[in-house]
Amino acid sequence: MKLKDIGEHEFIKKYIKNYMDIKLLDDVFIHEKIGYKVDGFKLSYTFPFMSLYDIGWKAISASTSDIIAKGVKPEFYLISLGLPPDFDVNKAEELIKGISDAIHYYEGRYIGGDLNDSDSSGWVDVFVEGEVLCDISNKDIDDGDLLVIGDYIGYTTNVFISYINNFNIPILPESLIKVKHPIVRKSLLFFMKKYCKFIKYSTDISDGLMVSLYKIIDNFDLGINITEIPLDKNVFNTLKLRLNLTELDALKYAGEEFLPLLIIDKNSPVKEMLNELQYLAFNPLIIGQVTHEKKAVIYKNTVIKNTGWDNFIGWY
């Protein structure tokens, strides 16, 4: 059996997890008020409209999104690069400038890392550490607790679907910017610190909404009733007009949204919290509730299968 036969997510659950020293697998590890995150990708994971500066910026935003969504203020970054020996020096510096600019935008410090040769297109790995401003660990999630997403999704879906259709599907300007130069909203940290006692869980949805929802289900042995699929209407109408896709079809090609997904106490001051997020430049939506009736994602009384991006399989 090959990795491409089992896939990234199943390999983590069935193999890597057996060798780890913690039971709960999450995007960020929290220990004694410090959060830790590592992430990376091949430099070939890009699009023709992206520069190496954009790739460097995106690598930092991806890790930063995970750690901010956990209520952790990013502080120190270590970067590991693998570059082919014939890689142009000026292009390598362009990549590093994108990395450095993004780190400083997120108010962190670039403190070092590692440089290796690569026999492929190259890769970048990002390690980030920071102070926990809102500790959401060891909180009980109850029936009726609410799922809140930071904004509408689908912009990156627009680009991904256009890509697999040889760019014959129109890409909206906002979709282009969100893929080329994603920005993680640092203001989420202020919100999480202020309302920490009402936040029971948080994550980002960089691997796709359904992937993130099923991670929650697997970690906490619960179910989720979805009442709204938060696709941007302009994006969805564009895809539906050209390809006749359904909402669930569009979710398959989601990912790299870099938005927070929160589970908040059903007894929290919900309206006040949503207003606060709007003030902080989010466009929050309540998209569902927690249930313990069935260990699955339910939408319109139907079980929705896990779907999204897998590094060994692709979109599934």
Side-chain angles (χ1 to χ4, degrees):
M1 184 168 58
K2 308 291 186 181
L3 286 172
K4 64 182 180 181
D5 299 321
I6 186 171
E8 169 194 4
H9 304 298
E10 286 301 310
F11 183 73
I12 290 171
K13 288 192 293 184
K14 293 183 177 180
Y15 293 90
I16 293 180
K17 190 174 180 180
N18 293 334
Y19 294 91
M20 295 182 65
D21 297 318
I22 56 174
K23 293 182 178 179
L24 180 65
L25 289 183
D26 216 335
D27 293 329
V28 177
F29 177 63
I30 306 292
H31 180 66
E32 294 183 352
K33 302 299 183 181
I34 301 294
Y36 306 88
K37 169 66 184 179
V38 65
D39 200 0
F41 52 79
K42 296 188 296 184
L43 296 183
S44 60
Y45 281 166
T46 186
F47 296 101
F49 53 79
M50 291 179 66
S51 67
L52 282 163
Y53 179 93
D54 297 329
I55 296 171
W57 181 283
K58 182 178 178 178
I60 298 303
S61 290
S63 294
T64 302
S65 178
D66 280 319
I67 206 161
I68 284 180
K70 287 296 181 187
V72 179
K73 182 181 184 298
E75 294 179 294
F76 303 110
Y77 289 80
L78 292 165
I79 313 301
S80 180
L81 294 173
L83 301 174
D86 60 353
F87 203 84
D88 185 86
V89 171
N90 291 330
K91 290 185 177 297
E93 185 178 16
E94 182 184 353
L95 173 66
I96 294 167
K97 181 169 173 52
I99 288 169
S100 176
D101 284 356
I103 288 173
H104 295 132
Y105 173 79
Y106 296 119
E107 300 178 335
R109 295 177 63 191
Y110 185 179
I111 59 170
D114 190 25
L115 179 63
N116 296 277
D117 66 338
S118 170
D119 57 6
S120 61
S121 62
W123 43 263
V124 54
D125 286 333
V126 177
F127 171 83
V128 56
E129 172 188 316
E131 177 190 1
V132 176
L133 301 183
C134 172
D135 187 356
I136 58 170
S137 58
N138 301 317
K139 291 190 177 182
D140 293 328
I141 300 174
D142 301 316
D143 281 357
D145 286 340
L146 303 173
L147 266 79
V148 175
I149 194 170
D151 211 329
Y152 287 95
I153 63 175
Y155 302 104
T156 57
T157 303
N158 181 193
V159 176
F160 297 153
I161 289 180
S162 185
Y163 165 72
I164 63 175
N165 285 276
N166 297 315
F167 292 108
N168 290 319
I169 306 299
I171 298 177
L172 301 179
E174 189 170 0
S175 299
L176 189 71
I177 290 298
K178 285 184 180 294
V179 169
K180 181 178 173 66
H181 196 80
I183 293 178
V184 179
R185 296 168 195 164
K186 299 175 288 186
S187 56
L188 182 67
L189 290 171
F190 173 85
F191 172 83
M192 293 190 69
K193 186 174 182 180
K194 182 175 180 179
Y195 293 100
C196 189
K197 67 179 180 179
F198 300 114
I199 300 171
K200 294 191 172 181
Y201 183 77
S202 63
T203 186
D204 92 328
I205 56 168
S206 56
D207 290 327
L209 177 61
M210 298 307 298
V211 172
S212 297
L213 291 177
Y214 270 97
K215 281 183 180 179
I216 294 172
I217 288 170
D218 290 339
N219 278 335
F220 298 102
D221 196 31
L222 48 76
I224 293 171
N225 281 327
I226 296 297
T227 54
E228 179 178 359
I229 295 178
L231 285 169
D232 177 84
K233 290 182 180 179
N234 289 334
V235 170
F236 180 61
N237 288 338
T238 298
L239 299 177
K240 186 177 180 182
L241 178 65
R242 296 296 296 267
L243 299 172
N244 198 31
L245 294 181
T246 67
E247 291 179 314
L248 298 180
D249 291 333
L251 285 181
K252 175 180 178 178
Y253 300 99
E256 297 185 0
E257 307 284 357
F258 304 139
L259 285 169
L261 180 67
L262 311 173
I263 297 179
I264 64 172
D265 194 319
K266 59 188 174 184
N267 298 313
S268 62
V270 178
K271 186 175 181 180
E272 176 186 325
M273 293 173 73
L274 295 181
N275 287 339
E276 185 76 24
L277 283 170
Q278 286 182 325
Y279 175 76
L280 297 172
F282 289 90
N283 189 15
L285 301 91
I286 297 173
I287 63 169
Q289 302 86 31
V290 172
T291 177
H292 285 82
E293 293 181 4
K294 192 166 188 177
K295 190 178 174 182
V297 175
I298 310 294
Y299 179 61
K300 295 182 178 180
N301 297 316
T302 301
V303 173
I304 307 303
K305 70 175 184 177
N306 193 355
T307 184
W309 172 257
D310 185 291
N311 281 318
F312 298 131
I313 298 174
W315 285 290
Y316 65 95

